[in-house]
Amino acid sequence: MNALFPYPTEGWEEKARALVAELRSLRSDPDAPFEYFDGGHTPGEGPDADDPALSADIGATWWIESLDPWRFGWDNTAAGWPSANLARERIRMGPPRPA
């Protein structure tokens, strides 16, 4: 299996599109299956919201939902560690659905 899981940086959309196109062009069979993993935080609104539909448009075939503690308000202290119930609630919501 050939796969890609890019790390988000400034200008990630343009970089991801260029990288997927370049990798496909270098393959002996550019139409062979190619797994592109992307991820982030959903659901969300505002400038920091992640959009699985945009990732799919770029070529992502998998979405990895981030359950890092900062999304639930962790303040980097032991006392401020968020309740696991917040992560469980997001998991119960299931995968993101196209709008």
Side-chain angles (χ1 to χ4, degrees), residues 3-46:
L4 168 68
F5 187 74
Y7 187 80
T9 60
E10 186 175 327
W12 74 269
E13 180 182 350
E14 294 79 19
K15 291 175 185 176
R17 287 184 191 281
L19 183 57
V20 168
E22 182 176 354
L23 290 173
R24 287 192 188 283
S25 75
L26 295 173
R27 300 180 76 213
S28 60
D29 180 357
D31 295 322
F34 179 82
E35 302 299 329
Y36 168 19
F37 294 74
D38 201 1
H41 301 106
T42 62
E45 296 179 356

Side-chain angles (χ1 to χ4, degrees), residues 47-94:
D48 294 328
D50 295 309
D51 183 2
L54 175 59
S55 295
D57 183 61
I58 293 170
T61 54
W62 291 85
W63 180 262
I64 309 296
E65 186 69 23
S66 177
L67 295 176
D68 64 70
W70 294 276
R71 82 177 280 178
F72 302 113
W74 186 40
D75 62 4
N76 293 330
T77 67
W81 190 259
S83 166
N85 289 334
L86 296 169
R88 287 186 189 105
E89 180 180 322
R90 175 60 195 96
I91 292 167
R92 279 191 211 86
M93 292 172 71

